[in-house]
Amino acid sequence: MARLRTELQRHEYLYYVLDQPEISDAAYDAMMGRLKELEALRPDLIAPDSPTQRVGGKPREGFVKVAHSSALLSLDNAYNEDELADFDRRVRELTDLSEVEYVCELKLDGLSMAVHYSEGRLARAVTRGDGQVGEDVTENARTIRSLPLKLREPALRAVEVRGEVIMTNAEFERLNRERAEQNLPQFANPRNSAAGSIRILEPWITASRRLDYSAYQLFFDGSPAAELHWEALEKLVALGFRVNPNRRLCRGLGGAREFIREWEHKRESLAYEIDGVVVKVNSIALQLQLGTTAKAPRWAIAYKYAAEQASTTVLDIGVQVGRTGMLTPVAHLEPVQVGGVTVSRATLHNEDEIARLGLQVGDRVLIERSGDVIPKVVRVEAPGEDRRPFVMPSHCPICGTAVVRQPGEVAWRCVNTNCPARLKESILHFSGRRVMNIDGLGEALVDQLVDRGLVKSVADLYDLRLEQLAELERMGEKSASNLLRNIGASRSAPLARLIHALGISFVGERTASILAEHFGSLDRLAGAPQEELEQAEEVGPRVAQAIRHFFDQPRNRELVERLRSAGLRFEEGPATRGRGERRAPLAGMTFVLTGKLERMAREEAAAKIEAAGGKVTNTVSKKTRYVVAGAEAGSKLDKARELGVEVIGEADLVRLLGSRE
Ligand code: IVH
């Protein structure tokens, strides 16, 4: 057991901290399975830092308040280069140096948390609170995979680490979608979402919300652990912590300015939000010499980027009908540039949100965009002259069925399970790249398939014939046969993808892989009683109930039977999707890079594509999936057009690289 624990801890480190796994997910899972077996035989030997012990048992009554060993200070801000220069001047004056060495780091937009280790084991995690006193959230912190339960090096002294708890944009959006389906209020941004998640009394809920922890300060017995801040960061990595890789040792003000300018744009390609850059004096001796004010250290400053906001007019408020029938109001905006992207729509979440904003059609509003997050309306800036209130339609705008709002619910829903809007959304979900990956089944095509009655359920996709497809608009024989081939190929998609594709409430990509691994076949999953479903990792009563409910509906049972007859894979094969595949979103895709890229060098782009499982070649052929074109792209672009190979820009590539940083 001790050997398995150590090995598993090592592989978690390779995976979560260094991002360089050495073994397959299947091998990792097998090891974890073996450890669980042994622990079941000898519960008395279960170590508190065993990798199986991240999620503890009972919910708590409340959080205990704990005083910090020393105050968790905040940072002074600089909003422009002059204020940054003032900071540098102050530091130079106080230290009598002509040039100071700084460390520049990203300012992650989350909440700070101090974590204490005693004899190398995670002993206590405390939120910032008011800086003096925080709350003990140890049980929840243990569920954060990138936070080690045990240090990688023996520590004779008391170790305290400070850092930021964050949530990625993708996880934030997944969570909000899930909450919308359940009529729960939306989180406003990833930071609130992370803060809410770390303060939940039930640790298994925190566990289901994949949080991350990035460390930025290290203390041994209450004192700084190194002579240079840069070394402390390296020591943190050696101890097993994730430290944000986007950091740099900078010479003087000029170096810091360069880093700041670089990230002003690059930050958009990050998988999480930052609200600026932190510039810190590298020498700890100088830090001590500079000291702190009551509120913030004099040796660091937060350079804040201007929020990506813009004002525009709401031309109309439309309503979208989602896969579960939920009606979501959407603001149609006078197109406006926000952070280099044209925005013409913003989500309004639900009726209550519109009321909260006091928004009417015609109003001038402030909108905000950050990272990949869907633009949102921050507030009404000026009421429109001929403003008119938004009225939620009483009938589904698509199928005309009366909409209902359950008592206590926020959202209105179209309850017609055959509503074309719902069907279209389910088909798009089913065929998604990370789901059944049916390339070529885009929105325009799905509209036609549903409107012409060719597809009434996702199972009908497998009955489509060439001549039916070929006569659709913008569809030649060639694309029709490609589409059929892609539909055919999806039959052998791994079980996890199929489970995800079914669109069961709360069952996203990750839960689907867990279920596939746990049950091994769709039939076993479909037949499992609630209690058995809850045995699967990270599956709580709510999720279990949703799964049970799904398979209890005759309509869904019929769907499953039709998918079986269509020859889809119901059993977990040897090459399943585990942690690995989530890391290889570009598997099987060949790219050609041409022209000058702006955000990254070509070699860097190539390396990232390869790291994500893709291939990069020099010549455009029919096998090329995407040509990524930068400025002044030449003949390769012509070749791509000739062969009908899709050409994308750098921003699209960044998006494809997706949740990988
Ligand atoms: S250093 C005494 N480094 O920003 C200085 N803080 O506005 C301790 N933050 O409370 C902070 N990223 O929660 C530092 N790379 C980073 C950071 C960072 C985010 C947060 C932290 C702090 C707040 C201050």
Side-chain angles (χ1 to χ4, degrees):
M1 286 166 76
R3 189 179 56 75
L4 283 168
R5 279 200 301 267
T6 315
E7 269 296 277
L8 283 162
Q9 277 154 358
R10 189 170 79 84
H11 290 300
E12 288 185 346
Y13 178 68
L14 288 167
Y15 184 86
Y16 289 108
V17 180
L18 300 186
D19 206 11
Q20 282 163 1
E22 277 177 7
I23 57 168
S24 73
D25 299 333
Y28 172 88
D29 294 340
M31 237 189 259
M32 182 70 111
R34 180 72 188 132
L35 179 57
K36 281 185 184 162
E37 268 169 37
L38 295 172
E39 288 182 343
L41 292 174
R42 288 297 302 270
D44 55 317
L45 293 183
I46 299 179
D49 58 20
S50 163
T52 61
Q53 302 300 301
R54 285 203 176 261
V55 187
K58 296 188 216 85
R60 278 136 307 141
E61 300 282 310
F63 294 105
V64 176
K65 295 251 192 291
V66 185
H68 289 294
S69 53
S70 63
L72 262 70
L73 298 176
S74 76
L75 292 168
D76 285 331
N77 296 321
Y79 293 97
N80 51 50
E81 295 201 349
D82 289 347
E83 291 177 10
L84 182 71
D86 288 344
F87 162 76
D88 176 63
R89 190 173 322 111
R90 276 196 307 274
V91 170
R92 283 187 292 111
E93 279 168 12
L94 288 168
T95 57
D96 231 1
L97 289 170
S98 58
E99 187 178 77
V100 180
E101 187 173 54
Y102 293 113
V103 175
C104 288
E105 295 168 23
L106 299 183
K107 185 167 187 306
L108 305 172
D109 201 7
L111 65 141
S112 42
M113 182 170 83
V115 192
H116 300 263
Y117 289 78
S118 127
E119 290 173 15
R121 295 212 156 88
L122 195 161
R124 188 181 247 176
V126 189
T127 59
R128 175 172 192 275
D130 62 6
Q132 303 291 338
V133 176
E135 285 177 323
D136 182 334
V137 291
T138 313
E139 288 307 306
N140 290 346
R142 290 174 65 87
T143 70
I144 302 175
R145 304 285 176 120
S146 43
L147 187 66
L149 298 178
K150 184 181 167 197
L151 299 179
R152 294 179 54 75
E153 288 174 3
L156 300 172
R157 293 167 291 186
V159 173
E160 179 178 352
V161 172
R162 292 180 178 181
E164 200 82 351
V165 177
I166 58 165
M167 185 180 275
T168 60
N169 295 334
E171 176 62 4
F172 163 71
E173 283 171 18
R174 183 197 66 79
L175 185 61
N176 259 355
R177 268 198 306 276
E178 183 182 289
R179 291 173 67 84
E181 285 178 8
Q182 222 207 345
N183 280 299
L184 292 169
Q186 299 279 293
F187 283 117
N189 51 48
R191 182 172 47 78
N192 288 3
S193 186
S197 303
I198 199 76
R199 288 195 71 262
I200 282 180
L201 291 169
E202 296 85 1
W204 54 89
I205 298 186
T206 306
S208 73
R209 307 221 181 138
R210 282 159 276 168
L211 294 169
D212 267 312
Y213 186 74
S214 235
Y216 50 66
Q217 265 185 317
L218 176 63
F219 301 94
F220 287 158
D221 287 333
S223 307
E227 283 174 18
L228 297 174
H229 176 61
W230 188 259
E231 280 170 16
L233 296 178
E234 284 173 345
K235 224 170 246 186
L236 280 165
V237 171
L239 288 175
F241 294 89
R242 179 182 276 178
V243 174
N244 192 286
N246 306 306
R247 56 182 189 265
R248 187 181 299 159
L249 214 46
C250 296
R251 279 184 56 185
L253 176 65
R257 217 191 262 145
E258 216 168 281
F259 184 87
I260 289 169
R261 286 188 188 154
E262 211 174 293
W263 280 97
E264 164 110 55
H265 292 293
K266 273 212 301 204
R267 70 180 163 139
E268 281 185 46
S269 59
L270 292 168
Y272 44 84
E273 295 203 351
I274 63 168
D275 58 347
V277 164
V278 187
V279 181
K280 302 175 180 177
V281 171
N282 190 23
S283 154
I284 302 287
L286 287 185
Q287 287 188 4
L288 294 173
Q289 187 190 334
L290 287 158
T292 71
T293 65
K295 187 192 140 244
R298 289 196 195 88
W299 45 263
I301 193 133
Y303 185 95
K304 294 282 192 87
Y305 291 120
E308 300 191 335
Q309 295 183 327
S311 51
T312 184
T313 306
V314 175
L315 303 175
D316 195 7
I317 297 179
V319 170
Q320 269 175 4
V321 184
R323 192 153 51 85
T324 58
M326 192 168 73
L327 272 58
T328 308
V330 176
H332 298 241
L333 308 166
E334 174 97 30
V336 61
Q337 288 276 318
V338 194
V341 172
T342 308
V343 172
S344 56
R345 273 157 197 265
T347 177
L348 293 168
H349 300 303
N350 52 52
E351 229 180 353
D352 292 8
E353 173 71 2
I354 297 178
R356 190 186 68 77
L357 291 165
L359 175 68
Q360 299 198 7
V361 175
D363 290 354
R364 189 133 197 100
V365 290
L366 183 72
I367 61 160
E368 185 176 280
R369 203 189 130 251
S370 43
D372 289 339
V373 182
I374 308 163
K376 64 168 195 221
V377 175
V378 183
R379 61 166 183 269
V380 173
E381 284 192 320
E385 272 180 20
D386 297 314
R387 68 203 300 249
R388 75 187 144 81
F390 166 74
V391 186
M392 190 55 113
S394 58
H395 291 77
C396 171
I398 309 298
C399 71
T401 307
V403 297
V404 297
R405 180 178 186 163
Q406 303 292 347
E409 289 204 336
V410 182
W412 290 87
R413 279 168 204 273
C414 165
V415 289
N416 172 12
T417 45
N418 293 316
C419 171
R422 293 181 60 172
L423 179 57
K424 285 175 186 174
E425 288 296 326
S426 354
I427 299 171
L428 288 170
H429 166 73
F430 188 88
S431 61
R433 179 166 288 142
R434 296 173 75 103
V435 192
M436 299 300 270
N437 192 19
I438 305 179
D439 201 21
L441 198 54
E443 220 165 297
L445 188 58
V446 170
D447 282 350
Q448 293 189 67
L449 291 172
V450 171
D451 295 345
R452 295 183 185 215
L454 290 173
V455 173
K456 297 196 176 70
S457 133
V458 288
D460 291 337
L461 291 173
Y462 296 93
D463 293 338
L464 287 170
R465 292 187 315 274
L466 189 65
E467 62 277 15
Q468 290 176 316
L469 288 175
E471 66 186 26
L472 298 176
E473 276 165 42
R474 275 174 299 185
M475 229 353 190
E477 186 128 334
K478 182 133 178 288
S479 26
S481 80
N482 281 344
L483 177 60
L484 280 187
R485 202 187 51 227
N486 296 341
I487 293 176
S490 74
R491 288 189 163 94
S492 48
L495 178 62
R497 285 184 177 243
L498 176 59
I499 295 173
H500 185 197
L502 293 174
I504 306 168
S505 305
F506 310 129
V507 178
E509 187 175 3
R510 178 179 165 102
T511 309
S513 2
I514 291 172
L515 292 170
E517 270 165 43
H518 189 96
F519 290 97
S521 91
L522 190 63
D523 292 317
R524 241 166 287 149
L525 171 68
Q530 166 116 12
E531 311 75 69
E532 212 173 293
L533 290 165
E534 284 179 39
Q535 298 295 307
E537 215 182 313
E538 296 180 21
V539 173
R542 242 171 7 124
V543 181
Q545 201 177 359
I547 300 172
R548 210 40 277 140
H549 177 74
F550 180 90
F551 289 110
D552 284 342
Q553 311 259 311
R555 180 189 156 76
N556 293 330
R557 280 212 296 274
E558 188 194 315
L559 170 68
V560 168
E561 285 322 306
R562 288 202 51 208
L563 293 174
R564 188 199 309 281
S565 329
L568 273 73
R569 201 158 112 187
F570 274 35
E571 302 282 326
E572 176 88 311
T576 60
R577 151 166 87 167
R579 297 176 305 148
E581 192 180 325
R582 280 199 294 275
R583 302 170 52 80
L586 307 187
M589 300 188 196
T590 305
F591 290 74
V592 173
L593 304 172
T594 177
K596 272 198 215 118
L597 302 184
E598 278 181 4
R599 295 190 201 169
M600 41 187 163
R602 252 206 255 175
E603 301 76 74
E604 189 187 346
K608 285 192 171 162
I609 292 172
E610 280 163 11
K615 225 172 89 179
V616 180
T617 64
N618 267 326
T619 26
V620 184
S621 77
K622 277 194 215 152
K623 293 208 187 101
T624 311
R625 177 67 164 271
Y626 293 111
V627 170
V628 183
E632 297 159 39
S635 62
K636 288 181 184 164
L637 209 51
D638 302 332
K639 185 83 186 165
R641 292 211 182 97
E642 190 183 311
L643 293 174
V645 171
E646 197 165 329
V647 178
I648 61 175
E650 191 177 357
D652 298 314
L653 174 64
V654 170
R655 228 164 276 140
L656 274 178
L657 289 164
S659 51
R660 288 187 62 86
E661 187 176 277

